[in-house]
Amino acid sequence: MTKAFPTQARVVIIGGGIVGCSVAYHLTKLGWTDVVLLEQGQLSGGTTWHAAGLVGQLRSHANMTGLIKYSTKLYSELEAETGLATGWKNCGSLAVARTQDRMTVLKRTAASARAQGVDVDVVSPREAADIWPVMASDDLVGAVWLPGDGKANPTDLTQSLAKGARNRGARVIERVKVSGITVKNGVACGVETDQGNIAADVVVNCAGQWARQVGLMCGVSVPLHSAEHMYIVTGKIDGVHPDLPVLRDPDGFIYFKEEVGGLVMGGFEPEAKPWGMSGIPENFEFALLPDNWDQFEILMQNALIRVPQLEHAEVRKFYNGPESFTPDNNFILGEAPELKNFFVGAGFNSMGIASAGGAGRALAEWIVNGAPTMDLWPVDIRRFASFNNNPRWLHDRVKETLGLHYAMPWPNRELDTARPFRRSPLYDRLAAKGACFGSKMGWERANWFAAADEEPQTQYAFGRQNWHEAVKREMKATRETVTLFDQTSFAKLLVQGRDACVVLNRICAADVDVEIGRSVYTGMLNERGGYETDLTVMRLAADKFLIVTGSAQAVHDADWIRRNTPEGSHACLTDVTSSYSVLALMGPNSRAVLSKVTSADLSNAGFPFATIREIDIGYATAYANRMTYVGELGWELIVPTEFAVGVYETLHEAGRELGLIDAGYYALEALRLEKGFRAWSRELTPDINPFEAGLSFAVALDKPGGFIGKDALVKAREGGVLRRRIVQFTVDHSVPMLWGGELILRDGKPVGEVRSGAYGHTLGRSVALGLIEHPDGVSKEFIESGSFSIDLAGELYPATAHMRSPYDPKSDRVKADIVTVQAAA
């Protein structure tokens, strides 16, 4: 007897690909059994069925690696649970290098793998040929072998996950078209379909290539765009056997896996071909696009170099199956900031099979617990804003992001497409002065400034890049005279209303109930005590606070504040990012420069540290906040956008004789690392608490009313032992360059990884902040008694751990002694 179509459910999932089925599986495993999954065609009929099925564990972010390690474990056990085969085979994978630069990448990969607990071996070309005897290896420099990687059958996996969900009560219904999302008072509360409406507490958008269109039904931005993705399947080839590992040849943009005695060969060409500009057809089920040998040519040419037998092999099938890609090549996960109880799991960038197990579990935990259970920032939907959903911008950006899979991951690599995007009022003036721009949250930001005889264009390398001396000039000026940084990209949020202070004080770990005109550096913590963000809260009036936070965090931080503002509170948040530019005037001469153009008292007594005041600057009126991210005297000038150019010109005219120059973000990064100042999403994450970060000074455990995360911090303090800790390091040699992600060893054993690295010109060596972990605790004694080194692409360099910043501006000396942690003030 056919069951009646449901009219209500606790959760409705839209999309029956591998991700939707994984979410259903994990929700039921967590005890939420009233789950309905709707698929417009048949399960796996969209993108999943034609996926290549490669499962490579290693990612640049430890938690992303953890999700895929979980996927491999799940896939290996699923058949025993459900009785349905998954095609999972733990065959391992080999990645080969044709160049020394690529070998540097692979050696860095190997060190990162060891830091993340992934088995890996660096092997010679001869050893690589023994592992994968079908390939030509005479042009190779080396390779890495990951024995824990594998492959799976995407359709079988999807069916097995669906059966596991059904076995625990979920309903999976095919041939249902979703035509709308029911919304009441800003909350998703059901779906509208061609077979009736279903009321629901939670709606989950796992619609794959259609996820953007489903989001638009209810005003939610899901920025992804489809592109053609091609591979071929050959007939039998001598030497190919069922246990042959997956092979990746990123210099040739290609991959191989065994299939029925032949090879699947595909890849990620440098310039992709977007598809579906007018929307994805509804009936695009188990469908392919026409063969496109012209687009495939670059992949085929490289494949013939690697496997010469392909020249005479039968091509049994050409697959041109479109897949969706995001603007940064990471998938999209989480609750939409625009709509409560509407979750998204989409945009998997040809990594859906590898990621689906872990991503499905992470999203299910997010739904059940009401918050992520781990740091998911690299894939958090709140890293994007609504302007990222612009279709023309997405179309142009996707041309590049598909190729990023195998593009050379140079340090500080910038994306080139769909730029310039967001521009400061000073953009043209900075460009005229030789600015080389990078991009963050769409903002064009000056990374460094070329001299008159230099090209403002970055030449990538793993050693010193061509801007090394330019950044040295900018750092020297900041430390010795004065510099001006355009930080207009900072996000600015205005919180006002009679309850603004009470609301913010509950959300902030520090006490923000300060006198008018004071600034407070603080974190906003989750219930686990980890950092959701760190920012500066400035009290402009009794009921008015201006928040300045990181460029990438505007959507995330606004969403966090709104979600944690009690219903009925008189506190209103407005994103005023576009209303203000920020010019940071930093260095010993900053007071002298600013004094020439304002009537304000800038003395220590008249304008103490952590003070914000409205002042005149030339003809303009702006906020001046005495705060520093470089460890020198300085003011952040928060200037109404229409006055930004005038203030910039006024400051430069006043500072000409005092040595004022422009400086960029590369100098800013190195300056903050010399001082040991922490940065959110690197040293400060949802998994790291203020004690571990060395920022306990910015927590007011005794303030009235408490704050979110206090209970977790009290428990952590009572535990006494810090099992992990952010520690500052300098490399003992003057030449090596650190970029972040490097393995840290203590007495020869891995203990952590570099979270941020740069060359500290003031110190004459590379400087880093790293996360150190040890089960018995990371105490002062543990740090002082160990001998540390950093693995830089396979070479170990001795490093010194610092419990206090090695740069001391008060005495104008560089100190290498080890004392207590001095965190950002």
Side-chain angles (χ1 to χ4, degrees):
M1 183 178 174
T2 305
K3 281 187 178 181
F5 190 75
T7 58
Q8 60 183 36
R10 192 171 192 181
V11 181
V12 172
I13 300 168
I14 304 168
I18 190 169
V19 177
C21 289
S22 179
V23 174
Y25 174 89
H26 287 94
L27 281 171
T28 59
K29 205 166 185 179
L30 290 169
W32 282 31
T33 57
D34 185 13
V35 174
V36 172
L37 184 148
L38 303 177
E39 163 56 41
Q40 66 179 350
Q42 290 178 263
L43 294 185
S44 78
T47 299
T48 299
W49 76 275
H50 61 70
L54 311 186
V55 182
Q57 300 172 88
L58 192 62
R59 296 292 183 267
S60 59
H61 187 281
N63 282 2
M64 299 302 102
T65 299
L67 294 184
I68 300 175
K69 286 173 71 176
Y70 169 78
S71 290
T72 63
K73 182 175 184 294
L74 173 67
Y75 299 165
S76 69
E77 299 170 350
L78 200 56
E79 183 175 352
E81 177 191 337
T82 67
L84 293 183
T86 62
W88 167 250
K89 194 169 192 64
N90 178 200
C91 57
S93 77
L94 188 72
V96 299
R98 302 187 188 191
T99 66
Q100 288 294 344
D101 279 335
R102 182 67 68 175
M103 198 62 217
T104 297
V105 172
L106 296 186
K107 287 177 178 178
R108 288 174 64 88
T109 296
S112 180
R114 285 190 278 271
Q116 298 179 34
V118 175
D119 289 340
V120 65
D121 289 306
V122 178
V123 298
S124 68
R126 179 183 290 256
E127 291 169 316
D130 290 340
I131 294 169
W132 223 85
V134 189
M135 73 174 172
S137 59
D138 52 345
D139 64 334
L140 297 182
V141 177
V144 293
W145 165 243
L146 291 110
D149 286 358
K151 59 184 181 179
N153 182 304
T155 299
D156 290 350
L157 256 181
T158 303
Q159 293 291 348
S160 191
L161 288 165
K163 184 176 180 182
R166 284 193 194 98
N167 288 346
R168 285 187 290 268
R171 288 194 63 184
V172 177
I173 309 175
E174 297 175 316
R175 303 293 178 196
V176 179
K177 178 188 173 184
V178 173
S179 55
I181 310 298
T182 308
V183 176
K184 290 183 181 177
N185 300 321
V187 180
C189 52
V191 298
E192 299 155 17
T193 84
D194 59 356
Q195 297 187 31
N197 296 347
I198 306 175
D201 296 332
V202 173
V203 177
V204 188
N205 177 4
C206 295
Q209 294 184 93
W210 293 268
R212 181 175 180 274
Q213 292 166 240
V214 171
L216 291 174
M217 291 177 182
C218 54
V220 170
S221 295
V222 185
L224 51 81
H225 200 294
S226 291
E228 297 186 15
H229 182 220
M230 290 156 276
Y231 64 85
I232 59 170
V233 182
T234 76
K236 289 190 176 182
I237 293 177
D238 288 345
V240 174
H241 55 83
D243 294 322
L244 190 71
V246 170
L247 175 68
R248 294 178 176 87
D249 179 2
D251 290 313
F253 323 115
I254 52 175
Y255 61 77
F256 299 86
K257 76 163 186 172
E258 181 275 340
E259 186 164 303
V260 199
L263 290 173
V264 169
M265 185 283 287
F268 300 94
E269 64 273 26
E271 185 169 345
K273 185 177 179 182
W275 176 77
M277 280 68 78
S278 301
I280 313 301
E282 291 175 9
N283 60 352
F284 197 80
E285 179 189 1
F286 294 109
L288 294 172
L289 301 176
D291 297 358
N292 190 339
W293 285 100
D294 289 342
Q295 184 74 13
F296 197 69
E297 182 180 7
I298 189 171
L299 305 181
M300 196 70 213
Q301 288 175 344
N302 279 285
L304 289 167
I305 293 170
R306 188 58 50 231
V307 182
Q309 289 186 70
L310 282 175
E311 185 176 355
H312 306 291
E314 173 198 6
V315 177
R316 288 175 43 217
K317 181 72 175 174
F318 188 111
Y319 284 85
N320 185 359
E323 300 189 26
S324 57
F325 293 83
T326 65
D328 63 0
N329 210 33
N330 281 330
F331 57 88
I332 298 171
L333 212 65
E335 187 174 7
E338 303 97 330
L339 183 60
K340 288 183 180 179
N341 294 352
F342 186 86
F343 289 78
V344 178
F348 279 82
N349 307 283
S350 280
M351 295 181 288
I353 308 307
S355 303
R361 184 187 69 171
L363 189 56
E365 289 175 349
W366 193 331
I367 293 166
V368 171
N369 295 310
T373 55
M374 66 179 78
D375 175 16
L376 294 170
W377 177 243
V379 296
D380 194 313
I381 190 172
R382 293 169 294 181
R383 73 189 189 275
F384 293 124
S386 58
F387 52 72
N388 293 117
N389 211 27
N390 177 294
R392 182 168 295 186
W393 184 83
L394 283 170
H395 169 274
D396 291 353
R397 172 54 59 90
V398 158
K399 290 179 181 178
E400 182 177 15
T401 55
L402 178 144
L404 293 178
H405 281 278
Y406 289 165
M408 188 69 75
W410 296 114
N412 292 340
R413 182 185 178 120
E414 297 281 352
L415 298 182
D416 298 320
T417 50
R419 292 178 56 193
F421 193 30
R422 304 173 80 187
R423 284 179 258 192
S424 155
L426 303 176
Y427 176 83
D428 289 343
R429 279 163 174 75
L430 300 183
K433 288 188 175 183
C436 180
F437 291 96
S439 177
K440 191 165 188 178
M441 196 55 169
W443 285 103
E444 296 294 327
R445 312 194 312 175
N447 282 336
W448 58 280
F449 287 84
D453 58 345
E454 295 174 329
E455 277 293 316
Q457 188 167 347
T458 294
Q459 297 169 14
Y460 294 119
F462 287 101
R464 296 182 178 183
Q465 297 183 1
N466 64 312
W467 43 260
H468 190 77
E469 290 301 313
V471 170
K472 182 178 181 179
R473 292 192 297 268
E474 294 167 25
M475 292 180 68
K476 181 178 172 66
T478 308
R479 295 285 185 229
E480 297 178 5
T481 55
V482 60
T483 51
L484 192 60
F485 298 86
D486 179 13
Q487 293 184 283
T488 295
S489 65
F490 271 158
K492 306 109 188 165
L493 307 173
L494 190 65
V495 181
Q496 51 192 337
R498 68 170 183 248
D499 297 328
C501 183
V502 172
V503 167
L504 285 176
N505 225 15
R506 179 180 166 273
I507 300 174
C508 296
D511 190 349
V512 300
D513 189 4
V514 293
E515 62 188 75
I516 296 167
R518 297 293 291 170
S519 299
V520 180
Y521 168 74
T522 182
M524 291 183 176
L525 311 181
N526 53 41
E527 294 289 358
R528 296 180 286 128
Y531 277 90
E532 285 297 322
T533 185
D534 76 320
L535 36 72
T536 303
V537 179
M538 293 163 276
R539 191 165 200 173
L540 305 182
D543 58 354
K544 185 177 181 182
F545 295 80
L546 180 63
I547 293 172
V548 173
T549 185
S551 306
Q553 292 149 247
V555 176
H556 173 278
D557 290 5
D559 179 66
W560 183 259
I561 293 168
R562 289 187 179 114
R563 286 180 186 278
N564 288 287
T565 298
E567 196 170 338
S569 296
H570 288 262
C572 177
L573 182 147
T574 309
D575 186 333
V576 294
T577 299
S578 298
S579 300
Y580 295 98
S581 289
V582 177
L583 301 178
L585 187 69
M586 297 288 153
N589 291 349
S590 58
R591 180 180 282 119
V593 172
L594 196 53
S595 293
K596 292 174 71 173
V597 296
T598 184
S599 60
D601 179 1
L602 301 179
S603 66
N604 277 325
F607 210 128
F609 183 79
T611 295
I612 181 167
R613 191 164 294 154
E614 197 169 54
I615 67 171
D616 56 294
I617 306 173
Y619 294 142
T621 302
Y623 291 112
N625 180 42
R626 189 172 163 197
M627 193 69 70
T628 178
Y629 199 43
V630 301
E632 303 293 343
L633 175 69
W635 280 264
E636 292 173 351
L637 306 173
I638 303 165
V639 185
T641 302
E642 65 270 28
F643 292 131
V645 171
V647 167
Y648 177 82
E649 292 172 342
T650 296
L651 290 171
H652 267 289
E653 185 176 345
R656 190 177 298 119
E657 295 176 358
L658 292 164
L660 177 64
I661 66 168
D662 293 289
Y665 273 84
Y666 287 175
L668 188 73
E669 175 75 353
L671 291 160
R672 73 102 179 166
L673 286 172
E674 287 185 336
K675 282 298 297 170
F677 293 170
R678 280 59 166 152
W680 193 78
S681 83
R682 285 177 281 176
E683 292 77 48
L684 309 180
T685 77
D687 294 337
I688 294 174
N689 69 42
F691 304 140
E692 296 164 334
L695 297 179
S696 56
F697 76 91
V699 176
L701 283 172
D702 58 349
K703 69 175 175 177
F707 55 90
I708 297 169
K710 176 183 175 180
D711 291 347
L713 293 189
V714 170
K715 186 176 179 180
R717 186 177 64 174
E718 289 170 351
V721 178
L722 280 177
R723 292 181 173 81
R724 55 185 183 172
R725 191 169 186 170
I726 297 293
V727 178
Q728 188 177 20
F729 291 91
T730 52
V731 179
D732 293 347
H733 292 73
S734 61
V735 174
M737 293 286 296
L738 297 182
W739 300 104
E742 294 86 1
L743 176 67
I744 301 171
L745 303 97
R746 179 183 180 273
D747 298 336
K749 297 179 181 178
V751 291
E753 66 171 356
V754 172
R755 288 298 180 97
S756 299
Y759 197 87
H761 286 281
T762 320
L763 305 173
R765 54 195 186 274
S766 279
V767 59
L769 288 171
L771 180 65
I772 303 301
E773 302 188 58
H774 190 257
D776 296 328
V778 183
S779 63
K780 182 173 181 286
E781 181 184 3
F782 177 83
I783 294 169
E784 291 181 344
S785 62
S787 176
F788 289 94
S789 57
I790 295 177
D791 184 327
L792 192 57
E795 287 192 54
L796 297 184
Y797 289 91
T800 300
H802 300 273
M803 299 293 289
R804 184 184 182 89
S805 168
Y807 171 69
D808 182 1
K810 294 186 177 67
S811 61
D812 199 25
R813 293 198 317 267
V814 172
K815 301 202 298 187
D817 54 321
I818 301 174
V819 282
T820 1
V821 168
Q822 177 174 317

